[in-house]
Amino acid sequence: FFSARSEFAIHHTLGSVHGTMAFSRLLSVLFLLCLWPALVLAKDFYATLGLARGATDAQIKKAYRKLAVQYHPDKNKGDEAATAKFAEISSAYEVLSDEKKRKIYDRHGEEGLKQHEAQEGRGGGGDPSDIFSAFFGGGNPFGFGGMGGQEEEEQEKRGETVRTEIQLNLQELYLGTSLRITRDKNVIKPAKGTRKCKCRAKMRTKQIGPGMFQQFQVQECEECPNVKLVRESEFLTVDVDPGMKDGQELSFFEHGEPLIDGDHGDLKLIVREVSVPEIKFRRDGNDLHYDLTITLTEALVGFGKAIMHLDGRKVKLNVGGVTRPGDVQRIANEGMPVYNSAGRRGNMFVHYSVSFPDKSLGADDAKKVRDLFSKTSFRL
């Protein structure tokens, strides 16, 4: 048996333990709340470069080369959006081109990478201009920006860009989804023999008489192993973010048609919204519209109803008083998610129509209704 003093000590200890556990849980919740904005706004470095997660090092370099030249501040003077895009591209390349950083990012995301760099005492994110300069060997690939008139680099030949559509219903665009698609494409394979490759035009000079010279162009080629095009199936995972719209494009770098002695083209998937009978909502930009029919009684005395949203939630409608045919009720922040804007949503608009009785009222009922509406309080 325990004494009263011992029993008090036990209860006191248990109370302290429970208090400590509750405090720990509170700290965990506060930590998650602090972390939430970072998680919501975390960048997808692969999407920034237009790449799939399994992209090779060569694909990462080519994607960065193309986008960095396209959005470089020297090429887009005064365009703040291009400068911001250039910084995003540089950050994505800095991480994905580094084997160690890429592994950490793939496993723990951007926030995990920041924590790792903080533990090692290094701040994340190099200067975009330094990254660009290092990639191009200290030079600038176009003849401006203080580089002394260097000629713009020759544009590499690329295969055709393939454009195709993916069909998604409104619920998939509201929630976001991940699709696995199959596409037949040409693939370059080794073949027997050799072929002429890397051909380029060169100017030659030939003496045709005393003091007379003629310039002419010749084509010089190298000898390369032969190749052929073979048709193969490719599997791609397509991530559709919430709020994407009809006509929006998803780009897959170098997943288009190949070009012998050149780069692959890109694959562009165009979002197409398709209607399905079970979805009653209509979309207009970031807003949703819903048609609701109520009874004559509900129109006169008010009602309480709930409609099923696209994510399975019930949106409650409580209306008092008279609802006229054609009335529209606005419900704030119940529309579509705004693409690429965490936490923002459009509005929902409920359009009311009134269902009248199919049969005529009897004489007694008609008199009651007539008497009721003849009162001053019911006159329109």
Side-chain angles (χ1 to χ4, degrees), residues 333-354:
N333 301 317
E334 285 292 357
M336 293 292 293
V338 179
Y339 176 71
N340 241 5
S341 292
R344 290 184 59 201
R345 292 180 182 274
N347 301 314
M348 181 189 294
F349 295 89
V350 181
H351 301 257
Y352 289 105
S353 59
V354 179

PDB file of all heavy atoms in Angstrom, residues 333-354:
ATOM      1  N   ASN A 333     -14.400  32.001 -52.084  1.00  0.00           N
ATOM      2  CA  ASN A 333     -13.284  31.056 -51.908  1.00  0.00           C
ATOM      3  C   ASN A 333     -13.693  29.584 -52.030  1.00  0.00           C
ATOM      4  O   ASN A 333     -13.046  28.719 -51.448  1.00  0.00           O
ATOM      5  CB  ASN A 333     -12.592  31.284 -50.556  1.00  0.00           C
ATOM      6  CG  ASN A 333     -12.041  32.682 -50.409  1.00  0.00           C
ATOM      7  OD1 ASN A 333     -11.448  33.221 -51.346  1.00  0.00           O
ATOM      8  ND2 ASN A 333     -12.257  33.295 -49.261  1.00  0.00           N
ATOM      9  N   GLU A 334     -14.748  29.312 -52.777  1.00  0.00           N
ATOM     10  CA  GLU A 334     -15.142  27.919 -53.015  1.00  0.00           C
ATOM     11  C   GLU A 334     -15.039  27.567 -54.499  1.00  0.00           C
ATOM     12  O   GLU A 334     -15.617  26.588 -54.954  1.00  0.00           O
ATOM     13  CB  GLU A 334     -16.563  27.660 -52.514  1.00  0.00           C
ATOM     14  CG  GLU A 334     -16.695  27.555 -51.007  1.00  0.00           C
ATOM     15  CD  GLU A 334     -16.035  26.313 -50.427  1.00  0.00           C
ATOM     16  OE1 GLU A 334     -15.513  25.484 -51.193  1.00  0.00           O
ATOM     17  OE2 GLU A 334     -16.025  26.166 -49.187  1.00  0.00           O
ATOM     18  N   GLY A 335     -14.282  28.385 -55.253  1.00  0.00           N
ATOM     19  CA  GLY A 335     -14.100  28.116 -56.671  1.00  0.00           C
ATOM     20  C   GLY A 335     -12.876  27.256 -56.931  1.00  0.00           C
ATOM     21  O   GLY A 335     -12.429  26.492 -56.069  1.00  0.00           O
ATOM     22  N   MET A 336     -12.309  27.377 -58.118  1.00  0.00           N
ATOM     23  CA  MET A 336     -11.130  26.607 -58.507  1.00  0.00           C
ATOM     24  C   MET A 336      -9.885  27.130 -57.793  1.00  0.00           C
ATOM     25  O   MET A 336      -9.782  28.332 -57.511  1.00  0.00           O
ATOM     26  CB  MET A 336     -10.908  26.705 -60.016  1.00  0.00           C
ATOM     27  CG  MET A 336     -11.962  26.034 -60.865  1.00  0.00           C
ATOM     28  SD  MET A 336     -11.948  24.223 -60.717  1.00  0.00           S
ATOM     29  CE  MET A 336     -10.382  23.795 -61.481  1.00  0.00           C
ATOM     30  N   PRO A 337      -8.925  26.235 -57.501  1.00  0.00           N
ATOM     31  CA  PRO A 337      -7.628  26.732 -57.023  1.00  0.00           C
ATOM     32  C   PRO A 337      -6.977  27.590 -58.111  1.00  0.00           C
ATOM     33  O   PRO A 337      -7.081  27.273 -59.303  1.00  0.00           O
ATOM     34  CB  PRO A 337      -6.817  25.436 -56.794  1.00  0.00           C
ATOM     35  CG  PRO A 337      -7.822  24.333 -56.765  1.00  0.00           C
ATOM     36  CD  PRO A 337      -8.963  24.764 -57.622  1.00  0.00           C
ATOM     37  N   VAL A 338      -6.343  28.671 -57.710  1.00  0.00           N
ATOM     38  CA  VAL A 338      -5.638  29.518 -58.669  1.00  0.00           C
ATOM     39  C   VAL A 338      -4.289  28.867 -58.952  1.00  0.00           C
ATOM     40  O   VAL A 338      -3.491  28.651 -58.034  1.00  0.00           O
ATOM     41  CB  VAL A 338      -5.459  30.950 -58.132  1.00  0.00           C
ATOM     42  CG1 VAL A 338      -4.693  31.806 -59.138  1.00  0.00           C
ATOM     43  CG2 VAL A 338      -6.823  31.572 -57.845  1.00  0.00           C
ATOM     44  N   TYR A 339      -4.036  28.536 -60.209  1.00  0.00           N
ATOM     45  CA  TYR A 339      -2.822  27.812 -60.589  1.00  0.00           C
ATOM     46  C   TYR A 339      -1.567  28.552 -60.141  1.00  0.00           C
ATOM     47  O   TYR A 339      -1.418  29.751 -60.342  1.00  0.00           O
ATOM     48  CB  TYR A 339      -2.807  27.619 -62.110  1.00  0.00           C
ATOM     49  CG  TYR A 339      -1.547  26.963 -62.627  1.00  0.00           C
ATOM     50  CD1 TYR A 339      -1.295  25.618 -62.378  1.00  0.00           C
ATOM     51  CD2 TYR A 339      -0.613  27.688 -63.352  1.00  0.00           C
ATOM     52  CE1 TYR A 339      -0.140  25.014 -62.841  1.00  0.00           C
ATOM     53  CE2 TYR A 339       0.546  27.095 -63.830  1.00  0.00           C
ATOM     54  CZ  TYR A 339       0.777  25.758 -63.570  1.00  0.00           C
ATOM     55  OH  TYR A 339       1.920  25.161 -64.029  1.00  0.00           O
ATOM     56  N   ASN A 340      -0.696  27.803 -59.495  1.00  0.00           N
ATOM     57  CA  ASN A 340       0.611  28.312 -59.051  1.00  0.00           C
ATOM     58  C   ASN A 340       0.506  29.410 -58.005  1.00  0.00           C
ATOM     59  O   ASN A 340       1.444  30.175 -57.831  1.00  0.00           O
ATOM     60  CB  ASN A 340       1.420  28.828 -60.249  1.00  0.00           C
ATOM     61  CG  ASN A 340       2.711  28.054 -60.412  1.00  0.00           C
ATOM     62  OD1 ASN A 340       2.973  27.091 -59.708  1.00  0.00           O
ATOM     63  ND2 ASN A 340       3.535  28.470 -61.356  1.00  0.00           N
ATOM     64  N   SER A 341      -0.632  29.515 -57.319  1.00  0.00           N
ATOM     65  CA  SER A 341      -0.799  30.503 -56.239  1.00  0.00           C
ATOM     66  C   SER A 341      -1.358  29.774 -55.023  1.00  0.00           C
ATOM     67  O   SER A 341      -2.575  29.565 -54.925  1.00  0.00           O
ATOM     68  CB  SER A 341      -1.739  31.632 -56.649  1.00  0.00           C
ATOM     69  OG  SER A 341      -1.171  32.431 -57.649  1.00  0.00           O
ATOM     70  N   ALA A 342      -0.476  29.365 -54.119  1.00  0.00           N
ATOM     71  CA  ALA A 342      -0.879  28.559 -52.973  1.00  0.00           C
ATOM     72  C   ALA A 342      -1.905  29.279 -52.114  1.00  0.00           C
ATOM     73  O   ALA A 342      -1.734  30.441 -51.751  1.00  0.00           O
ATOM     74  CB  ALA A 342       0.351  28.214 -52.124  1.00  0.00           C
ATOM     75  N   GLY A 343      -3.020  28.589 -51.825  1.00  0.00           N
ATOM     76  CA  GLY A 343      -4.034  29.106 -50.926  1.00  0.00           C
ATOM     77  C   GLY A 343      -5.087  29.988 -51.571  1.00  0.00           C
ATOM     78  O   GLY A 343      -6.099  30.281 -50.946  1.00  0.00           O
ATOM     79  N   ARG A 344      -4.888  30.403 -52.809  1.00  0.00           N
ATOM     80  CA  ARG A 344      -5.857  31.289 -53.461  1.00  0.00           C
ATOM     81  C   ARG A 344      -6.876  30.468 -54.240  1.00  0.00           C
ATOM     82  O   ARG A 344      -6.527  29.482 -54.890  1.00  0.00           O
ATOM     83  CB  ARG A 344      -5.154  32.265 -54.402  1.00  0.00           C
ATOM     84  CG  ARG A 344      -4.323  33.318 -53.705  1.00  0.00           C
ATOM     85  CD  ARG A 344      -3.754  34.287 -54.712  1.00  0.00           C
ATOM     86  NE  ARG A 344      -4.823  34.944 -55.470  1.00  0.00           N
ATOM     87  CZ  ARG A 344      -4.627  35.522 -56.657  1.00  0.00           C
ATOM     88  NH1 ARG A 344      -3.424  35.501 -57.224  1.00  0.00           N
ATOM     89  NH2 ARG A 344      -5.633  36.089 -57.290  1.00  0.00           N
ATOM     90  N   ARG A 345      -8.131  30.892 -54.185  1.00  0.00           N
ATOM     91  CA  ARG A 345      -9.208  30.226 -54.912  1.00  0.00           C
ATOM     92  C   ARG A 345     -10.177  31.258 -55.471  1.00  0.00           C
ATOM     93  O   ARG A 345     -10.293  32.369 -54.955  1.00  0.00           O
ATOM     94  CB  ARG A 345      -9.973  29.269 -53.987  1.00  0.00           C
ATOM     95  CG  ARG A 345      -9.160  28.068 -53.537  1.00  0.00           C
ATOM     96  CD  ARG A 345      -9.969  27.153 -52.628  1.00  0.00           C
ATOM     97  NE  ARG A 345      -9.149  26.039 -52.168  1.00  0.00           N
ATOM     98  CZ  ARG A 345      -8.992  24.909 -52.839  1.00  0.00           C
ATOM     99  NH1 ARG A 345      -9.638  24.737 -53.983  1.00  0.00           N
ATOM    100  NH2 ARG A 345      -8.224  23.950 -52.380  1.00  0.00           N
ATOM    101  N   GLY A 346     -10.879  30.833 -56.517  1.00  0.00           N
ATOM    102  CA  GLY A 346     -11.945  31.667 -57.050  1.00  0.00           C
ATOM    103  C   GLY A 346     -13.200  31.515 -56.197  1.00  0.00           C
ATOM    104  O   GLY A 346     -13.163  30.988 -55.083  1.00  0.00           O
ATOM    105  N   ASN A 347     -14.327  31.957 -56.721  1.00  0.00           N
ATOM    106  CA  ASN A 347     -15.594  31.903 -55.996  1.00  0.00           C
ATOM    107  C   ASN A 347     -16.548  30.902 -56.657  1.00  0.00           C
ATOM    108  O   ASN A 347     -16.360  30.505 -57.802  1.00  0.00           O
ATOM    109  CB  ASN A 347     -16.240  33.291 -55.967  1.00  0.00           C
ATOM    110  CG  ASN A 347     -15.353  34.320 -55.295  1.00  0.00           C
ATOM    111  OD1 ASN A 347     -14.791  34.060 -54.229  1.00  0.00           O
ATOM    112  ND2 ASN A 347     -15.198  35.477 -55.920  1.00  0.00           N
ATOM    113  N   MET A 348     -17.570  30.533 -55.905  1.00  0.00           N
ATOM    114  CA  MET A 348     -18.632  29.676 -56.434  1.00  0.00           C
ATOM    115  C   MET A 348     -19.900  30.509 -56.571  1.00  0.00           C
ATOM    116  O   MET A 348     -20.218  31.308 -55.689  1.00  0.00           O
ATOM    117  CB  MET A 348     -18.876  28.477 -55.507  1.00  0.00           C
ATOM    118  CG  MET A 348     -19.967  27.535 -56.019  1.00  0.00           C
ATOM    119  SD  MET A 348     -20.427  26.265 -54.797  1.00  0.00           S
ATOM    120  CE  MET A 348     -18.906  25.322 -54.700  1.00  0.00           C
ATOM    121  N   PHE A 349     -20.609  30.304 -57.665  1.00  0.00           N
ATOM    122  CA  PHE A 349     -21.870  30.994 -57.900  1.00  0.00           C
ATOM    123  C   PHE A 349     -22.967  29.955 -58.106  1.00  0.00           C
ATOM    124  O   PHE A 349     -22.873  29.111 -58.999  1.00  0.00           O
ATOM    125  CB  PHE A 349     -21.773  31.912 -59.120  1.00  0.00           C
ATOM    126  CG  PHE A 349     -20.807  33.057 -58.929  1.00  0.00           C
ATOM    127  CD1 PHE A 349     -19.466  32.918 -59.257  1.00  0.00           C
ATOM    128  CD2 PHE A 349     -21.239  34.262 -58.397  1.00  0.00           C
ATOM    129  CE1 PHE A 349     -18.573  33.961 -59.077  1.00  0.00           C
ATOM    130  CE2 PHE A 349     -20.355  35.319 -58.214  1.00  0.00           C
ATOM    131  CZ  PHE A 349     -19.026  35.162 -58.555  1.00  0.00           C
ATOM    132  N   VAL A 350     -24.001  30.025 -57.249  1.00  0.00           N
ATOM    133  CA  VAL A 350     -25.132  29.106 -57.335  1.00  0.00           C
ATOM    134  C   VAL A 350     -26.292  29.841 -58.007  1.00  0.00           C
ATOM    135  O   VAL A 350     -26.741  30.887 -57.532  1.00  0.00           O
ATOM    136  CB  VAL A 350     -25.550  28.599 -55.940  1.00  0.00           C
ATOM    137  CG1 VAL A 350     -26.718  27.621 -56.065  1.00  0.00           C
ATOM    138  CG2 VAL A 350     -24.370  27.933 -55.241  1.00  0.00           C
ATOM    139  N   HIS A 351     -26.757  29.284 -59.128  1.00  0.00           N
ATOM    140  CA  HIS A 351     -27.842  29.880 -59.905  1.00  0.00           C
ATOM    141  C   HIS A 351     -29.135  29.127 -59.585  1.00  0.00           C
ATOM    142  O   HIS A 351     -29.214  27.907 -59.786  1.00  0.00           O
ATOM    143  CB  HIS A 351     -27.541  29.796 -61.400  1.00  0.00           C
ATOM    144  CG  HIS A 351     -26.266  30.485 -61.802  1.00  0.00           C
ATOM    145  ND1 HIS A 351     -26.244  31.717 -62.427  1.00  0.00           N
ATOM    146  CD2 HIS A 351     -24.954  30.120 -61.641  1.00  0.00           C
ATOM    147  CE1 HIS A 351     -24.996  32.072 -62.650  1.00  0.00           C
ATOM    148  NE2 HIS A 351     -24.179  31.117 -62.181  1.00  0.00           N
ATOM    149  N   TYR A 352     -30.136  29.866 -59.117  1.00  0.00           N
ATOM    150  CA  TYR A 352     -31.369  29.223 -58.664  1.00  0.00           C
ATOM    151  C   TYR A 352     -32.465  29.268 -59.730  1.00  0.00           C
ATOM    152  O   TYR A 352     -32.666  30.284 -60.409  1.00  0.00           O
ATOM    153  CB  TYR A 352     -31.890  29.913 -57.397  1.00  0.00           C
ATOM    154  CG  TYR A 352     -31.035  29.647 -56.186  1.00  0.00           C
ATOM    155  CD1 TYR A 352     -30.174  30.632 -55.682  1.00  0.00           C
ATOM    156  CD2 TYR A 352     -31.066  28.410 -55.546  1.00  0.00           C
ATOM    157  CE1 TYR A 352     -29.376  30.392 -54.577  1.00  0.00           C
ATOM    158  CE2 TYR A 352     -30.267  28.165 -54.434  1.00  0.00           C
ATOM    159  CZ  TYR A 352     -29.432  29.153 -53.958  1.00  0.00           C
ATOM    160  OH  TYR A 352     -28.650  28.904 -52.866  1.00  0.00           O
ATOM    161  N   SER A 353     -33.153  28.152 -59.853  1.00  0.00           N
ATOM    162  CA  SER A 353     -34.399  28.097 -60.611  1.00  0.00           C
ATOM    163  C   SER A 353     -35.449  27.468 -59.695  1.00  0.00           C
ATOM    164  O   SER A 353     -35.108  26.747 -58.750  1.00  0.00           O
ATOM    165  CB  SER A 353     -34.246  27.287 -61.897  1.00  0.00           C
ATOM    166  OG  SER A 353     -33.841  25.957 -61.603  1.00  0.00           O
ATOM    167  N   VAL A 354     -36.737  27.758 -59.961  1.00  0.00           N
ATOM    168  CA  VAL A 354     -37.819  27.311 -59.089  1.00  0.00           C
ATOM    169  C   VAL A 354     -38.716  26.331 -59.838  1.00  0.00           C
ATOM    170  O   VAL A 354     -39.124  26.586 -60.980  1.00  0.00           O
ATOM    171  CB  VAL A 354     -38.648  28.507 -58.585  1.00  0.00           C
ATOM    172  CG1 VAL A 354     -39.792  28.031 -57.682  1.00  0.00           C
ATOM    173  CG2 VAL A 354     -37.748  29.489 -57.825  1.00  0.00           C
TER     174      VAL A 354
END
